[in-house]
Amino acid sequence: MGVKNELPSSTRRPAHSGRQSFFNLGLALSLCTVTYLFASVYQIREARPFRAYQSLTYDKLAQELCPQPGALIPSATRELWEGIGDDIGSAEFKVKAIEWLAGAIGVSTETFDDMGPVDEDPRWENRALFLDYLEKAFPLVHSTLPLTKINTYGLVYIWQGSDPSLKPILLMAHYDVVPVNPETVDEWQHPPYSGFYDGTNIWGRGSLDDKSALIGTISAIEILLSKSFQPTRTVVIQFGFDEEGGGSRGAGKIAEYLLETYGEDSFAFVIDEGGGFSESYGTQFATPGVAEKGSTNVNIEVATPGGHSSVPPDHTSIGILSALLVRLEDNPFEVHIDRTTPIYTFFLCLASHAKIFPKELRKDIIDSVKSDRALRQAEEKLFKNKVYKSLVGTTQAIDIVQGGVKSNALPEQALAVVNHRISVTSTVSETYAHDTELFLPLAERFNLTYETFGQQIRPKGFSSSGTLKLSSGGGLDPAPVTPITWGEAAPYEFLSGTIKGVYRAHREGSQLELEDEIIVSPGMPTGNTDTKYYWSLSRHIFRYNHHNQGNDSNALSGAHTVNEHVTADSLLETIRFFVTLILNADESRAF
């Protein structure tokens, strides 16, 4: 019998309707492959009997299952690159870089969910202050590169290359931040908008998400301009201003402009925020995101007759809603690993390259290339890690509950909002079908008229005790997976080699044993990014910040919560990464 793409018990249908299977990957915020990696993996599965592995040494087997490219650094501009590297390593530059990020953090650019149109809500106006800051901090960029403002605060810089036949690259970041809860300000080690540097870390809201990436991008260009570098390949930079609110006013409008200006599939690759690199199982893994889960919010509304609380029914709207939510949490989506997804290759990379890895799990993962039984065993062990499990499958989180207006009045309405992050092997419609079928028994039990997403499931009848309605303001299907198979993955191979080149260059002369190379594997961010608006602009979209995230236990470093911070060394490496990326892309003719 041939190898199946997934466990036999897995389907592509929701768990309660027989229409669900799932996937997904990422390493903490991120968690989260080269051409040869995926080419080899898929060719092995199709052409090589598993017993053929038995003749391979362990090192050879690791290279077969998770090949790694060599480090990629500039060739034609080697002297320029090395000189900039020396500058980045100097004490003077470190002070300047810290000042750049601290100044950016010092301009509060909070995005709130209830913000109105850009030309009406005054809370957008701090974006103008941020632009003023950028113009002062990076004078060469603003005196040299044309800047187009989209929807007032969206920023598009175009660094025109000399060869129009080369596809441009697109570098993205956003400069808005999640609000700081006033009640938690005293919990911050340093004021959230101070940009305080303590000798190791730079503190403040946006230090990690996403102003350090923005500063890394724009400072790299400032440095290259100061060295009189002129690109052959056009570089486009876009900075969004409302990513934390969904990005529709910023990146959404910018995407429309770029599509009109350049056309479909016009960019060689796109890089936006995402995972970085961190230590996992004793080995450094970089996990550029090559996919994104879908997402949707489902509103669960229960309506029942009101009245005085002294004569209550058996079940109020709040009681019914509670029963619905208990059923939801008692019946999570089934989660299974699919061999066709990037997470499976990530697990292969762990098993092939992680120095400290459970022996039995390593064997199960390697054996799973051929054996469904081994895949089940690996799955059972891997899913003890909640990050892995939540990123593989469709998730559900009850985030909002409302109901009742007075203690002696029966609640006429009760509402809950459930956030789903949708497996890349599923869809929004399958998620809706799952929820619809899940609640049908309770609609019948409580004698409720049942309407789901515009369709009547249980028609309104004379004896109905109330109504149950499921609705959504819309959903986002999972993103297209960035090409990572033979003949299509040149940009991924390029990025992987660049990551390795920067990692090595930044550590030369340190005590690090450089033979302990960083391993690059496909990853996926835990949330959606502004790239959801850019699917038509490039088939090669990566979600990756070259941040040193330490280890799995501290990968988020306070993003979206108190004490957000980033190390100064990580900021310097981020700048080095963008300098190297631009120079490497300028020389490459593989895309």
Side-chain angles (χ1 to χ4, degrees), residues 34-36 38-39 43 483-491 493 539-540 590:
V34 311
T35 301
Y36 301 113
F38 273 84
Q43 288 182 342
I484 43 181
T485 56
W486 185 266
E488 297 181 293
E493 183 178 1
R539 298 174 63 232
H540 306 276

Side-chain angles (χ1 to χ4, degrees), residues 284-573:
Q284 291 289 338
F285 283 88
T287 54
V290 298
E292 263 187 22
K293 299 177 81 172
S295 64
T296 188
N297 288 330
V298 173
N299 306 314
I300 307 172
E301 300 173 76
V302 178
T304 57
H308 199 283
S309 295
S310 61
V311 188
D314 291 338
H315 305 282
T316 68
S317 61
I318 293 176
I320 294 171
L321 179 63
S322 300
L324 295 167
L325 298 183
V326 169
R327 180 168 176 80
L328 181 77
E329 292 201 336
D330 283 348
N331 294 273
F333 287 75
E334 290 184 15
V335 182
H336 295 298
I337 297 171
D338 187 312
R339 288 187 179 95
T340 66
T341 57
I343 188 171
Y344 181 65
T345 301
F346 170 73
F347 292 145
L348 289 176
C349 287
L350 282 180
S352 299
H353 294 285
K355 299 178 200 172
I356 306 170
F357 201 71
K359 183 178 180 180
E360 290 185 3
L361 178 55
R362 191 191 303 273
K363 182 178 185 301
D364 285 339
I365 292 174
I366 292 175
D367 288 351
S368 72
V369 174
K370 180 68 175 179
S371 168
D372 289 335
R373 181 174 178 271
L375 183 57
R376 289 192 195 95
Q377 293 172 339
E379 184 179 273
E380 182 179 354
K381 296 179 179 72
L382 288 165
F383 285 174
K384 292 178 181 179
N385 183 318
K386 290 185 178 181
V387 173
Y388 292 160
K389 185 174 182 179
S390 66
L391 288 165
V392 167
T394 297
T395 60
Q396 54 195 30
I398 303 166
D399 292 329
I400 298 175
V401 176
Q402 298 173 348
V405 294
K406 200 172 186 299
S407 63
N408 62 352
L410 295 175
E412 296 173 336
Q413 293 181 319
L415 165 71
V417 179
V418 178
N419 179 254
H420 289 295
R421 299 300 169 127
I422 303 169
S423 164
V424 297
T425 60
S426 186
T427 63
V428 171
S429 62
E430 288 181 346
T431 304
Y432 292 163
H434 166 274
D435 288 357
T436 295
E437 189 163 342
L438 180 67
F439 295 132
L440 181 57
L442 291 183
E444 294 173 344
R445 172 188 168 190
F446 294 115
N447 191 29
L448 302 174
T449 298
Y450 189 19
E451 178 186 328
T452 67
F453 312 103
Q455 294 184 337
Q456 286 286 341
I457 306 300
R458 295 188 78 240
K460 185 174 183 179
F462 181 79
S463 63
S464 175
S465 300
T467 62
L468 168 60
K469 180 180 179 181
L470 304 187
S471 63
S472 176
L476 177 70
D477 277 327
V481 177
T482 294
I484 43 181
T485 56
W486 185 266
E488 297 181 293
Y492 191 90
E493 183 178 1
F494 163 85
L495 176 60
S496 299
T498 299
I499 290 170
K500 285 176 170 284
V502 172
Y503 184 85
R504 172 174 284 272
H506 195 70
R507 287 157 181 78
E508 285 184 345
S510 71
Q511 298 301 312
L512 178 77
E513 295 183 7
L514 289 179
E515 61 267 23
D516 295 337
E517 295 279 1
I518 191 169
I519 302 300
V520 183
S521 175
M524 189 175 68
T526 55
N528 295 114
T529 66
D530 274 340
T531 60
K532 60 180 175 283
Y533 299 105
Y534 289 77
W535 298 349
S536 62
L537 287 171
S538 179
R539 298 174 63 232
H540 306 276
I541 297 177
F542 306 104
R543 299 90 177 165
Y544 182 74
N545 282 350
H546 194 71
H547 287 156
N548 185 348
Q549 297 176 315
N551 57 55
D552 292 347
S553 65
N554 66 354
L556 299 186
S557 300
H560 287 213
T561 186
V562 299
N563 290 324
E564 183 176 351
H565 63 278
V566 67
T567 68
D569 185 68
S570 182
L571 173 63
L572 294 173
E573 189 167 1

Side-chain angles (χ1 to χ4, degrees), residues 126-205:
N126 51 33
R127 275 66 171 169
L129 298 178
F130 188 80
L131 178 56
D132 289 343
Y133 169 73
L134 290 182
E135 290 176 344
K136 294 175 183 176
F138 302 99
L140 289 178
V141 169
H142 290 89
S143 63
T144 306
L145 273 58
L147 169 61
T148 301
K149 299 177 184 178
I150 307 298
N151 198 19
T152 307
Y153 301 119
L155 308 179
V156 177
Y157 301 86
I158 298 177
W159 198 5
Q160 189 63 46
S162 59
D163 188 346
S165 69
L166 298 177
K167 279 188 174 184
I169 63 173
L170 176 60
L171 308 179
M172 300 174 59
H174 68 87
Y175 63 92
D176 64 311
V177 299
V178 297
V180 173
N181 185 343
E183 297 182 1
T184 65
V185 170
D186 291 341
E187 299 177 22
W188 284 74
Q189 294 187 35
H190 304 284
Y193 291 108
S194 65
F196 183 82
Y197 176 59
D198 64 4
T200 300
N201 299 301
I202 306 161
W203 297 81
R205 177 61 83 231

